[in-house]
């Protein structure tokens, strides 16, 4: 798996470049660290937003995992290497998770420093833990959904489009479903999620969200395993014999 | 592995892509050493045969053993094979050295050892100067050489090369052939090509594949002698043989089928009243054998 992770990291870094990476982080900091929290007018809500950053970072990276390899005509060579299907999947899934979490933490750290400079109210440790855990779940979810899309997409472009639709369903569908199950939750989506986190780990809203996400992640992972194994048995390259 | 023990044995292997049959009961033995050429037209089934050896496609019938194991079963040891497909499979944004290092990592070779091997193989191939260059910035020829370096980097028992010189100019193609000849060493190289002079230059044995079946297999020199015919030129007029008249071609003679030995044919011709002025066994080139067997026109 280490070999796959290293390949992913080097490939990403070389495609993006160091300057590109700095620009990428800067954009995320401005959007998620300044503009969005600033418009919310609430530092606690700002930290809840950080839990969502990995979803937006990990997903598109995961979409590239197989669709990109197919498009760049490197998938068949990769599959001919000695990497076992499980390790290939783990490496492909873990890289977006780690990068998504890393991005979230870097942006959160910069925002915290910025808040300290500005003298804004800092969140307590009681919020940081759920935000971190939420970020991990978001990263895993983004990565798994992205990989699902990637396995089936004909190109990275169509994959990104399908991922956007999947993201919309996730971001709107999951909180709305939670609200349906727990009717006392407020109508606003972001507030709903914030409310779930504010209630602590054991609150009905948080439990609903946690259980729902756990079931979704487990289902996604199990179906992905079958899908990735199928890469070796799909008789690829239909046009060429 | 000894040269006598086959590295791969196909017995009636069939593979289909939907309604299209790519391999149709392929029977073939690939020896343990040397350069083995898989020859065939586009769409003959060469690449599918390679994918089957690598366990990348599902067989619908037959039995395949590679190094005594079924490559289709999960957990098959792919460390014994290293492949260069028609597409080079390199990560374009990475440097040549990083591509080699990453490939070695996937094969379980440590970074230190990978670096040493990469330097050696790049030196051997003659592109050590391009080690730090991104693959996308390389010329087509150097990119192909970099892909060859990647393929030969790992200590695989079987190196598979699918159309390694396609898309190269003749000078670069000759360079690549030289490199293949040098690097093959004691390993088995499975070379898929429709470039027949390339096969004649590099291969110890070849198999001609058409419509998913192996038509003939053996050393190129032995295949070239089949089927036997003799070139006959007579003083004037057509060549008369077994009641038929064969008009002279552009060279002033005719090709007569030689069922027995050439000496028997000459005796028959003389007995038929031909005044023979030139007689020589006609050794068909590998291209001739290939075209005859695969239904092409000369």
């Amino acid at each position: 798996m280490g070999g796959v992770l290293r390949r992913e990291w080097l490939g990403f870094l070389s495609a993006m470049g160091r300057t590109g990476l700095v620009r990428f982080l800067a954009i995320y900091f401005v959007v998620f660290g300044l503009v969005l929290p600033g418009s919310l007018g609430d530092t606690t809500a700002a930290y809840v937003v950080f839990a969502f950053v990995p979803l937006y970072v990990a997903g598109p990276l995961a979409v590239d995992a197989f669709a990109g390899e197919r498009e760049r005509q490197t998938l068949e060579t990769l599959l001919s290497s000695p990497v076992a299907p499980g390790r290939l999947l783990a490496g492909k899934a873990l890289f977006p998770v780690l990068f998504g979490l890393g991005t979230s933490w870097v942006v959160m750290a910069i925002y915290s420093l910025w808040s300290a400079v500005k003298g804004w109210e800092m969140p307590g440790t009681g919020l940081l833990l759920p935000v971190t855990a939420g970020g991990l779940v978001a990263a895993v979810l983004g990565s798994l959904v992205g990989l699902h899309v990637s396995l089936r997409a004909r190109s990275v472009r169509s994959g990104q489009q399908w991922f956007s639709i999947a993201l919309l369903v996730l971001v709107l569908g999951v909180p709305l479903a939670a609200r349906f199950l727990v009717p006392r939750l407020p109508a606003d989506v972001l507030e709903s999620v914030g409310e779930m986190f504010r209630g602590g780990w054991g609150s009905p809203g948080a439990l609903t969200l946690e259980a729902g996400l756990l079931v979704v992640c487990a289902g996604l992972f199990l179906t992905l395993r079958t899908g990735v194994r199928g890469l070796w048995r799909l008789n690829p390259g239909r046009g060429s014999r | 592995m000894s040269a006598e023990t086959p590295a791969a044995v196909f017995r009636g292997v069939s593979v289909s892509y939907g309604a299209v049959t790519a391999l149709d009961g392929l029977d073939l033995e690939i020896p343990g050493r040397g350069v083995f050429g898989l020859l065939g037209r586009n769409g003959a089934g060469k690449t599918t045969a390679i994918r089957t050896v690598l366990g990348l496609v599902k067989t619908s019938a037959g039995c395949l053993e590679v190094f005594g194991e079924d490559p289709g079963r999960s957990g098959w040891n792919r460390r014994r094979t290293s492949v260069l497909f028609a597409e080079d499979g390199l990560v374009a944004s990475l440097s040549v050295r990083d591509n080699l290092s990453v490939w070695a990592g996937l094969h379980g070779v440590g970074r230190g050892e990978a670096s040493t091997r990469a330097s050696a193989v790049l030196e051997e191939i003659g592109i050590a100067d391009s080690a730090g260059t991104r693959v996308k910035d390389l010329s087509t020829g150097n990119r192909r050489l970099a892909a060859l370096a990647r393929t030969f980097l790992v200590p695989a028992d079987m190196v598979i090369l699918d159309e390694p010189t396609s898309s190269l100019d003749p000078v670069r193609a000759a360079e690549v052939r030289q490199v293949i000849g040098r690097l093959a060493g004691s390993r088995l190289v499975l070379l898929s090509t429709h470039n027949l002079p390339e096969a004649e230059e590099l291969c110890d044995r070849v198999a001609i594949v058409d419509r998913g079946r192996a038509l003939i297999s053996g050393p190129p020199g032995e295949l070239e002698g089949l089927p036997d015919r003799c070139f006959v030129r007579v003083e004037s007029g057509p060549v008369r043989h077994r009641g038929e008249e064969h008009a002279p071609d552009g060279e002033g003679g005719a090709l007569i089928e030689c069922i027995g030995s050439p000496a028997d044919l000459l005796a028959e011709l003389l007995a038929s009243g031909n005044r023979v002025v030139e007689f020589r066994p006609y050794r068909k080139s590998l291209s001739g054998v290939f075209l005859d067997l695969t239904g092409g026109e000369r």
Side-chain angles (χ1 to χ4, degrees):
Chain A
M1 191 176 67
V4 179
L5 263 179
R6 185 162 173 264
R7 186 176 180 275
E8 293 294 304
W9 169 244
L10 288 178
F12 172 77
L13 197 61
S14 63
M16 190 162 228
R18 284 184 172 79
T19 319
L21 189 63
V22 171
R23 279 187 195 144
F24 170 85
L25 288 174
I27 290 168
Y28 265 85
F29 170 63
V30 170
V31 174
F32 289 100
L34 295 178
V35 178
L36 203 55
S39 68
L40 292 170
D42 176 1
T43 49
T44 305
Y47 279 87
V48 172
V49 167
F50 289 130
F52 283 91
V53 170
L55 186 68
Y56 290 90
V57 178
L61 273 181
V63 168
D64 186 78
F66 295 107
E69 299 271 5
R70 208 176 283 130
E71 207 166 86
R72 295 187 290 272
Q73 300 185 317
T74 51
L75 182 62
E76 209 164 22
T77 301
L78 179 63
L79 296 180
S80 76
S81 77
V83 179
R87 284 168 191 261
L88 178 66
L89 173 60
K92 289 279 189 189
L94 199 56
F95 173 66
V97 169
L98 293 178
F99 189 74
L101 276 179
T103 306
S104 172
W105 289 338
V106 168
V107 172
M108 196 156 61
I110 297 171
Y111 180 72
S112 299
L113 282 173
W114 183 249
S115 302
V117 169
K118 287 282 188 182
W120 295 341
E121 187 195 348
M122 298 287 282
T125 49
L127 182 67
L128 285 178
L129 193 62
V131 165
T132 307
L136 179 64
V137 172
V140 170
L141 203 60
S143 179
L144 294 179
V145 172
L147 285 175
H148 259 285
V149 170
S150 188
L151 269 179
R152 289 155 183 81
R154 287 183 183 172
S155 65
V156 176
R157 194 173 169 180
S158 77
Q160 302 288 14
Q161 287 165 344
W162 280 109
F163 182 75
S164 304
I165 295 168
L167 203 61
L168 203 67
V169 171
L170 264 177
V171 171
L172 290 178
V174 172
L176 286 177
R179 191 169 166 264
F180 176 76
L181 293 169
V182 188
R184 71 177 179 80
L185 287 172
D188 182 76
V189 172
L190 203 58
E191 217 171 296
S192 303
V193 179
E195 182 68 23
M196 287 173 187
F197 279 112
R198 275 197 201 97
W201 294 95
S203 68
L207 276 177
T208 308
L209 191 65
E210 287 155 18
L213 289 174
L214 204 66
V215 169
V216 169
C217 287
L220 286 173
F221 186 77
L222 290 174
T223 47
L224 257 181
R225 262 182 45 177
T226 314
V228 170
R229 282 193 181 139
L231 281 177
W232 274 268
R233 322 300 297 156
L234 273 178
N235 295 2
R238 283 187 172 78
S240 143
R241 278 188 279 165
Chain B
M1 165 164 288
S2 75
E4 293 74 31
T5 313
V9 181
F10 291 76
R11 292 196 204 291
V13 173
S14 295
V15 173
S16 296
Y17 299 113
V20 179
T21 303
L23 293 186
D24 186 14
L26 180 69
D27 287 305
L28 188 65
E29 277 198 7
I30 299 172
R33 295 233 177 105
V35 181
F36 185 87
L38 210 50
L39 315 182
R41 300 193 296 184
N42 292 329
K46 306 185 296 293
T47 302
T48 300
I50 286 173
R51 287 182 180 141
T52 314
V53 166
L54 294 166
L56 292 177
V57 291
K58 189 164 62 178
T59 56
S60 53
C63 162
L64 169 65
E65 281 191 357
V66 181
F67 299 118
E69 292 180 65
D70 174 9
R73 73 170 177 80
S74 66
W76 184 66
N77 185 4
R78 284 195 179 81
R79 284 191 187 173
R80 301 194 71 177
T81 55
S82 183
V83 64
L84 168 60
F85 284 109
E87 303 85 22
D88 54 51
L90 296 167
V91 181
S93 59
L94 286 182
S95 70
V96 174
R97 182 175 289 283
D98 279 345
N99 263 287
L100 267 57
S101 161
V102 159
W103 184 245
L106 295 177
H107 273 259
V109 178
R111 270 197 232 178
E113 197 186 339
S115 174
T116 312
R117 281 192 198 179
S119 299
V121 78
L122 289 173
E123 194 69 47
E124 173 75 33
I125 285 181
I127 53 164
D129 293 349
S130 306
T133 310
R134 283 180 177 207
V135 166
K136 66 180 177 187
D137 297 329
L138 293 176
S139 66
T140 309
N142 275 354
R143 190 171 171 145
R144 206 67 185 150
L145 288 172
L148 263 182
R150 177 190 55 89
T151 314
F152 278 99
L153 178 76
V154 291
D157 296 318
M158 187 197 291
V159 173
I160 303 173
L161 307 173
D162 191 5
E163 310 282 4
T165 58
S166 61
S167 78
L168 295 182
D169 66 65
V171 176
R172 271 305 196 186
E175 273 179 38
V176 167
R177 278 196 289 275
Q178 278 178 3
V179 167
I180 294 169
R182 279 206 308 273
L183 293 180
S186 59
R187 293 196 262 191
L188 162 67
V189 175
L190 175 56
L191 173 74
S192 156
T193 183
H194 49 230
N195 183 334
L196 300 174
E198 180 172 289
E200 282 177 308
E201 184 183 331
L202 287 173
C203 299
D204 304 307
R205 292 180 70 85
V206 296
I208 296 177
V209 178
D210 192 46
R211 296 186 179 93
R213 287 171 175 268
L215 302 177
I216 196 166
S217 172
E222 286 180 19
L223 300 187
E224 284 165 9
L226 297 173
D228 280 353
R229 281 189 277 186
C230 290
F231 178 81
V232 182
R233 190 155 62 89
V234 294
E235 225 172 48
S236 62
V239 179
R240 287 182 294 276
H241 181 235
R242 296 189 176 181
E244 286 182 28
E245 291 191 346
H246 301 266
D249 62 12
E251 289 183 62
L255 281 175
I256 308 295
E257 195 171 351
C258 181
I259 293 163
S261 70
D264 292 341
L265 176 62
L266 180 59
E268 274 185 49
L269 291 167
L270 292 172
S272 305
N274 293 289
R275 295 175 70 89
V276 178
V277 294
E278 188 180 349
F279 179 88
R280 55 184 156 86
Y282 176 76
R283 285 179 65 80
K284 196 181 283 187
S285 67
L286 186 58
S287 302
V289 176
F290 181 87
L291 292 169
D292 272 356
L293 289 172
T294 57
E297 290 178 9
R298 253 176 288 179

